[in-house]
Every structure is written in structure tokens, then in C-alpha cells.
Amino acid sequence: AQSVSQHNHHVILSEAASLELGCNYSYGGTVNLFWYVQYPGQHLQLLLKYFSGDPLVKGIKGFEAEFIKSKFSFNLRKPSVQWSDTAEYFCAVINFNKFYFGSGTKLNVKP
Amino acid sequence: NAGVTQTPKFRVLKTGQSMTLLCAQDMNHEYMYWYRQDPGMGLRLIHYSVGEGTTAKGEVPDGYNVSRLKKQNFLLGLESAAPSQTSVYFCASSGQGESYEQYFGPGTRLTVT
């Protein structure tokens, strides 16, 4: 079965710091990759997705992610975080109609 | 356009009781999913459906049943609730092909005592 690993469980940053959250997946074939965000008390929302083409994907709110096939990675980045980015972030991969989510990374941005 | 809605938002059950969670979507999506979210474990797929009248098991199907009698609705049933089923349940729907983006409902917080 597919698996998704997020190695950072809890990240604390100050405003304006740069962010990189790691995501690795296990499937070696063609993959579709996603990053979702869950703000406190809310449901999951899509940040960005990769299907094919340019491995550098830009999403909403200044987030981007880079697909590196050789490393089975899809890391999320943001050059300068804001307090409003405090949330939990989930990486996901779809394989044969099933979504597999990572365990999530809680980001706490200090004002 | 309400998107994905879930009923109820909160529920407390006693061990052995049964209940049904309702998910409804108004986006004409073919695919629907039920997940449970537990601290430190992310979202785990319980059951999913790729179309009206079809259902399939996900990662953690034991103790749950589902039905998709209408395209817009996906029901999750607990026949005999257990404390291990205390969780937040999310429903999601998505289109086909390049529209794999999942749209999530607001969640149902279930506590089994």
C-alpha cells in the first residue's frame, strides 16, 4: 500500500521566517500529489497540487512545492510565514482512486 | 452552492449504540470518501465510493458500513459503537480525472463513552 511520511510533526517559527515542510511518498509510479491545510477548527482546504509538468508548483497564499521524483519528495515551502499560517498541513498522494495522507505537521507561527 | 455538508456536527454515543453519519454534496461529484482523523495519525480512509451504488473499503473499514444510494449522498454507519471509534469524521468528494481535488466537509466530532 501507498504511504506518505511527514517527518516534521510540530514546527514553531517566528513571523517572516522561511518554511519548508518535508513530504515523502512510497509509490514509484506516476503520482498525483497534494498539500492540504487545516486551520484551527476548520476543515481541510487544498493548498496546491501536482499532476504533471513543471515540478515546481505554486499554490494559494504564497505557498509552493517542489516535486523531486528521484527523492520521492514533495516538500512545501513559503519564503516568509505569517501568523495567519498557523495551521496543520497534510501531504497526500492519490493512487487508484484512494487518497493517502501523511500524519500532518502542526505549524505554529509566533507574532 | 453548499459544497459538502455533514450531519450531525457533534454526537456522543454509549458503547454498543448505533448511528449514521450523513454526507451530502451538491457538486455532482462521482467520488465520495469517509475519513477519520485522530491526533498524530492524519486522515485515514474508512470507505469510499466511485459512483452511485458502489462502495469500497479503505485503510480502516472495520466496524463501519457505508451506502451510496444516491449520487449526492454518502452514509457512514456504526452498528455497535466502541470507544476506539471516538474521532473526528470527515467526508470528502471529488470529480474524475484531472479533477482529483477533494472537497471536504466540516467534520463530525464523535465521542463514544
Side-chain angles (χ1 to χ4, degrees):
Chain A
Q2 182 64 264
S3 69
V4 179
S5 298
Q6 292 182 243
H7 306 295
N8 314 106
H9 298 295
H10 198 177
V11 173
I12 301 173
L13 294 173
S14 298
E15 275 194 315
S18 63
L19 170 72
E20 181 160 3
L21 302 182
C23 173
N24 290 92
Y25 60 93
S26 62
Y27 183 61
T30 302
V31 288
N32 298 317
L33 297 155
F34 306 79
W35 274 99
Y36 281 85
V37 60
Q38 187 177 28
Y39 297 105
Q42 297 187 25
H43 58 279
L44 277 77
Q45 304 168 42
L46 182 69
L47 266 182
L48 49 80
K49 60 185 176 185
Y50 172 79
F51 278 61
S52 62
D54 190 343
L56 186 61
V57 180
K58 294 193 183 300
I60 61 171
K61 303 186 181 186
F63 286 92
E64 65 179 30
E66 185 175 12
F67 170 58
I68 303 179
K69 189 173 182 180
S70 61
K71 294 185 178 180
F72 298 90
S73 70
F74 190 54
N75 292 354
L76 181 71
R77 300 196 292 248
K78 186 171 183 179
S80 176
V81 295
Q82 302 173 316
W83 176 78
S84 58
D85 293 325
T86 293
E88 191 161 14
Y89 293 81
F90 295 93
C91 181
V93 60
I94 186 169
N95 184 233
F96 295 108
N97 300 322
K98 294 184 189 180
F99 273 76
Y100 297 89
F101 284 82
S103 56
T105 297
K106 288 188 178 179
L107 172 64
N108 191 345
V109 180
K110 294 184 174 181
Chain B
N1 190 335
V4 180
T5 58
Q6 291 181 231
T7 310
K9 289 186 170 53
F10 302 94
R11 186 72 187 268
V12 179
L13 287 179
K14 293 184 179 179
T15 297
Q17 287 185 318
S18 63
M19 78 163 295
T20 300
L21 307 184
L22 170 63
C23 176
Q25 53 96 3
D26 60 4
M27 296 172 282
N28 201 35
H29 283 163
E30 289 295 331
Y31 300 161
M32 296 186 75
Y33 307 80
W34 275 108
Y35 295 91
R36 58 178 290 171
Q37 183 181 29
D38 301 292
M41 303 189 76
L43 277 78
R44 292 181 292 169
L45 182 63
I46 304 171
H47 286 280
Y48 66 103
S49 167
V50 299
E52 181 179 321
T54 72
T55 63
K57 293 180 179 180
E59 291 179 78
V60 289
D62 293 343
Y64 304 95
N65 56 73
V66 288
S67 64
R68 183 100 181 268
L69 299 178
K70 293 183 179 180
K71 186 177 183 178
Q72 63 268 33
N73 295 339
F74 195 30
L75 278 65
L76 177 71
L78 285 73
E79 290 186 349
S80 180
S84 61
Q85 294 177 303
T86 293
S87 187
V88 180
Y89 292 86
F90 286 99
C91 176
S93 71
S94 71
Q96 293 178 287
E98 290 297 303
S99 300
Y100 278 136
E101 175 185 348
Q102 289 196 326
Y103 294 82
F104 284 83
T108 296
R109 185 172 294 276
L110 174 66
T111 302
V112 183
T113 61

